[in-house]
Each structure stands twice: as C-alpha cells, then as structure tokens.
Amino acid sequence: MPKAGIIYNDIKPIACQVATTLQEKLTACGWEVCVATGTGGILGYSHPDRPVCHTPIDGLVPKGFDTDMSLAFVLGGDGTVLSAFRQVAPAGIPLLTINTGHMGFLTETYVNQLSQAVEQAIAGDYEIEERLMLVVKVFRPCSTDSEPTLLWEAMCLNEMVLHREPLTSMCHFEVQVGKHALVDIAADGVIISTPTGSTAYSLSAGGPVITPEVPVLQLVPICPHSLASRALVFSENDPVTIFPVQPNRLVMVVDGNAGCYILPEDRVRVEKAPYSARFIRLQSPEFFRVLREKLGWGLPHIAKPTSVELP
C-alpha cells in the first residue's frame, strides 16, 4: 500500500477542511495516510532569561513520516511550507505545496486546482526540484579547554537573521566566510540566505535575486553603517561563522518563526545542510514566471503590474 502524508496549517479553517477532504480522497484511492500540523516545525522563541532552546533537527520529523512515504501534501502558506520542510527534509520526503494562504510564493498550486493536482501526484506525473537548505548552530565556549557547547540548532530553507534588539544601538560583527580572513561589519544585523531566501528578507534588505539552481549563499548587511558593506555572494560549500563584537546580546531568527538570544561570547555557525528541500513540480520549474506572477518582475515598464493580464 503506498503511503502519503498531509501537513496543514491548523489555524486556518480552509486548510483544516481541505486536509479532511484530501485524506478521504487518498484513502479511497488505496493510500495509507499520515497527518501532522505545521506547528510541529515551529521551534518557538527563547525568553530573555532563558536563551537556550535546543531542539535536535532530526527530532522534528512527525510520527509515521519516514523513508517509506512516497510524498506529502502541504496545505497552507509560505510559513507552513518552511515549517514542513524542517519536518520532512531528514526523511527525504518530497512535498506538493498547495496554497491556502495569501501570496504563496513557495507553493506549487492552489486549492481550486486540488483535484487535478492530487490525481497527477498519485500517478507520479511530476518532477522533483531540490533546493538548498541551511543548518544554523549556536555555540558557547566552555570555561575549560574543552569543545564549545552546542546550545541551539535548526534547519532552514530561507535565511538566518542576526540583529539587534529594539531600542539598542548598531551592532558590530566579525564574519568569517570559509577560510577567508575575517571581515568587520557594522549594521543593524546580517542575513545569511539561500537562493530560495533571496526573494524574502534579503531582497527587502537590498540583496540580489538568485535563481534556485545556482549553488551559492549570500550575506546581506541590514542597514549597514558603511557604503562599502554590501551583499556578498559566495560558494554554498563555505561555512559562515559570526562573532558578535559588542557587549549587548543579539536576537537570531531562522525562517521568521524560530530563534534564540545570542550573548556576546556565543558563536553562530551557518553551513549547507545535509538534506535538501524536495519540491514536487507539476510542470517544469520556471522561476521567472513565479517572479512575474508573485512580485511583478519583468513586466512591461509602460504599465503598472495591476493593469497587465498575467499568464
């Protein structure tokens, strides 16, 4: 019996309703179905008096979601998609993302196309597009000569953001990319982004759009103090270590829905994850089409996006 999963946003009534309908449809077609909510991939935030919040990466895989599962359906918006990949990437499960949210930049199809999408998916009529993910770890040096203690770790698809707390001054960082020399950055924060995340926070902070198949990462300073501090694109195989150079603590956020406090003595390490995000594509991936439909990129300059009929 083939096996499928469903991950849905249980806060949205439409996602709950569609999850029930989808489960019934798959069961009627002879599939074993496992169901989980996207909240299982949200790690939460630490409290100021309790900065440590360590959840092992492999511990987020929902019960029943294993290597025997052929595929899983995600019902929600971009936040649910980001959470779902943290849950299933260690098991290598490909996801068909169905938008029940707003923009749905990362989603493949919409609820009104659900029946056709399900039929195509269970027939195996699709391609799989693999996207780079990151592992973010926070270390704190020990008082002895032993190895630093791992305080916190998480996997992400978009980005890691390290920034100042509200009502505090500009931050100073020393950043090492691969084996290159340390660089000093004075800014409100720094972003380490994947190509997938290049259309998210890093784009708003002035970083370039990177097509998903390019094997690179990027570092983007947030509101830098120097005109010379600009986005840097580098190999995906170069790990990044960030050393805070200031007396105040910082806040780290991963994919916008998980994070922890970073104290002055802590070290943040970001590197390519051993797992990939595996997107099910019902048609050949066309990144520029998504940019045009979701962000209005590349539309005729003589007309506003709202006045152009999109394909």
Side-chain angles (χ1 to χ4, degrees):
M1 177 182 293
K3 185 177 180 181
I6 298 173
I7 298 177
Y8 67 100
N9 185 344
D10 58 342
I11 298 177
K12 296 183 177 179
I14 181 62
C16 298
Q17 178 182 346
V18 175
T20 301
T21 302
L22 179 57
Q23 182 177 9
E24 293 172 351
K25 182 177 180 63
L26 291 172
T27 302
C29 292
W31 285 65
E32 177 186 353
V33 182
C34 297
V35 181
T37 66
T39 55
I42 298 177
L43 305 181
Y45 296 92
S46 301
H47 299 289
D49 57 347
R50 184 171 52 84
V52 178
C53 180
H54 181 183
T55 304
I57 290 172
D58 294 343
L60 296 180
V61 180
K63 183 178 180 180
F65 285 68
D66 51 34
T67 54
D68 294 331
M69 183 171 285
S70 301
L71 74 163
F73 299 84
V74 180
L75 306 170
D78 289 335
T80 306
V81 172
L82 295 171
S83 176
F85 273 115
R86 263 200 297 278
Q87 293 173 277
V88 306
I93 301 170
L95 296 182
L96 177 56
T97 54
I98 301 169
N99 186 18
T100 63
H102 299 289
M103 176 178 288
F105 192 88
L106 297 175
T107 56
E108 176 68 5
T109 188
Y110 299 88
V111 172
N112 60 359
Q113 301 168 343
L114 179 65
S115 296
Q116 179 182 349
V118 172
E119 291 177 4
Q120 193 172 340
I122 63 179
D125 182 17
Y126 56 80
E127 299 179 28
I128 292 180
E129 179 188 12
E130 297 199 3
R131 297 278 189 97
L132 167 72
M133 298 187 74
L134 298 176
V135 170
V136 182
K137 296 182 178 181
V138 179
F139 294 94
R140 180 167 298 167
C142 298
S143 55
T144 62
D145 294 332
S146 59
E147 292 293 321
T149 301
L150 175 63
L151 298 181
W152 192 93
E153 66 176 352
M155 193 160 54
C156 62
L157 178 58
N158 269 357
E159 76 277 297
M160 182 284 305
V161 182
L162 185 61
H163 61 86
R164 66 186 181 90
E165 284 196 284
L167 305 181
T168 59
S169 59
M170 181 177 56
C171 307
H172 289 265
F173 309 91
E174 287 185 345
V175 182
Q176 184 172 28
V177 178
K179 296 181 180 180
H180 300 285
L182 288 169
V183 296
D184 182 80
I185 295 177
D188 282 356
V190 292
I191 303 170
I192 306 296
S193 166
T194 67
T196 301
S198 71
T199 54
Y201 194 174
S202 65
L203 179 62
S204 298
V209 174
I210 301 174
T211 56
E213 72 277 5
V214 181
V216 296
L217 303 176
Q218 66 171 316
L219 183 156
V220 182
I222 303 172
C223 299
H225 180 64
S226 170
L227 288 173
S229 293
R230 290 296 175 261
L232 173 69
V233 177
F234 53 94
S235 169
E236 65 177 13
N237 295 317
D238 284 339
V240 180
T241 305
I242 303 175
F243 305 85
V245 188
Q246 60 179 55
N248 301 321
R249 71 186 179 199
L250 302 171
V251 178
M252 186 184 71
V253 181
V254 173
D255 273 353
N257 63 12
C260 68
Y261 284 91
I262 304 297
L263 301 185
E265 65 267 25
D266 295 340
R267 304 293 178 260
V268 179
R269 183 177 175 87
V270 184
E271 58 190 359
K272 178 182 178 181
Y275 313 113
S276 298
R278 307 182 71 209
F279 284 86
I280 289 177
R281 300 304 187 194
L282 302 178
Q283 54 185 330
S284 295
E286 216 302 290
F287 184 64
F288 286 0
R289 176 183 59 83
V290 178
L291 284 182
R292 184 170 63 252
E293 293 180 0
K294 303 292 186 178
L295 298 181
W297 183 85
L299 291 174
H301 68 281
I302 58 173
K304 296 180 181 179
T306 54
S307 65
V308 176
E309 183 178 355
L310 298 175

